[in-house]
Amino acid sequence: VIAAFSLVSVAGTPLVLWVAQVAGWRWGFGSIALACGACLVAVQLLLPASPVSQPGESLAQRLQGLRAGALASAALNGVSQLPALLLIPLLAPLLLGLSPADASLSWPFLVGGVAGLVSARLAGRWLLRGQAVRLWQAALTLFALNLALTAAGVMPGVGFMACFMASTYATLVAASSVSASWPQPAQRASFSALQGALMHGVSSLAFLSGPQWLRLPVPAAGGYGGALLASGMAALGLVWLGPRLLRAASPQDQSRR
């Protein structure tokens, strides 16, 4: 499932950027609308119908039976993406500052999508050893190191995007491996709704925090040194908190209490 997101980054984002560059920004949004229409048709034709819940059954009732760590587990994906979410609104101007004047944004996003796809596959194999905590810490350490090298002016735009996407998807794989083991089959839809709501909540808070106002004298970052600092500090904080967060969200750990 996570690999599907990186596939979109490989094919979708560079293509839309190319369309916008060649035909204008309106056509870029138009191509997204056409893709959404095609996906809607595919959902109606290809996906099986989901079981209907009992009439009058509330979300709380459908989530009943989850252990105390369910909320932590549902929030884990959003929390794991906080460092990346602090930078996502600034990716385009940041990449423009890291790339040559005549460079297109399609190429960094294409390379980043491929790096994310490969990273998700390798992270899945790593998890076969049951080392979610080490994967989490290694991915976030790479994320912070990438930001440090970018601020130092030794990381080009393409390299920054490759490391950004690879570390972000590896962290998400580690978080998802824990959160996906919580719900029972009958609770998966409700748990996914709760997980999605918390993910959007974390995204909104990250986007509204506006770390770009932290103006630091980092010429290589094109005026976004404050954003790099805030994102890097969040990543290092999650490296330290990783074992505690994953333990709190782990159903195996909850079963021992």
Side-chain angles (χ1 to χ4, degrees):
V1 173
I2 296 174
F5 288 99
S6 52
L7 279 174
V8 172
S9 301
V10 171
T13 305
L15 179 60
V16 170
L17 288 172
W18 178 80
V19 170
Q21 185 176 6
V22 172
W25 65 267
R26 289 184 176 85
W27 284 101
F29 283 102
S31 62
I32 295 174
L34 291 174
C36 290
C39 289
L40 180 61
V41 173
V43 166
Q44 293 295 326
L45 296 178
L46 301 178
L47 290 185
S50 59
V52 180
S53 59
Q54 295 297 325
E57 192 177 24
S58 66
L59 177 61
Q61 289 173 322
R62 281 177 277 169
L63 288 172
Q64 190 176 10
L66 291 176
R67 297 179 184 272
L71 184 60
S73 180
L76 192 60
N77 283 14
V79 172
S80 73
Q81 298 304 289
L82 178 60
L85 290 170
L86 290 171
L87 283 184
I88 284 177
L90 309 175
L91 276 184
L94 181 58
L95 285 172
L96 287 174
L98 296 173
S99 305
D102 57 345
S104 171
L105 289 180
S106 300
W107 177 243
F109 276 96
L110 176 61
V111 173
V114 172
L117 176 61
V118 173
S119 174
R121 301 286 294 180
L122 293 177
R125 294 187 178 183
W126 187 335
L127 286 177
L128 293 177
R129 306 175 183 175
Q131 298 178 338
V133 172
R134 290 187 179 181
L135 175 60
W136 170 289
Q137 292 178 321
L140 286 169
T141 301
L142 173 62
F143 186 96
L145 179 60
N146 178 39
L147 300 189
L149 293 175
T150 301
V154 297
M155 181 68 78
V158 172
F160 163 79
M161 197 62 184
C163 291
F164 177 86
M165 295 292 285
S167 55
T168 297
Y169 277 110
T171 308
L172 184 58
V173 169
S176 298
S177 69
V178 175
S179 61
S181 59
W182 259 107
Q184 299 296 322
Q187 299 167 328
R188 290 196 182 279
S190 300
F191 184 84
S192 296
L194 175 62
Q195 190 177 49
L198 292 173
M199 180 71 178
H200 288 301
V202 173
S203 301
S204 299
L205 290 175
F207 294 163
L208 291 173
S209 66
Q212 65 272 17
W213 64 266
L214 291 169
R215 294 289 177 179
L216 295 179
V218 184
Y224 296 106
L228 294 180
L229 175 62
S231 180
M233 290 180 64
L236 292 176
L238 289 178
V239 170
W240 179 69
L241 289 172
R244 297 169 178 81
L245 291 173
L246 293 175
R247 191 181 306 117
S250 173
Q252 289 82 8
D253 184 75
Q254 295 289 327
S255 64
R256 299 191 189 103
R257 297 180 180 180

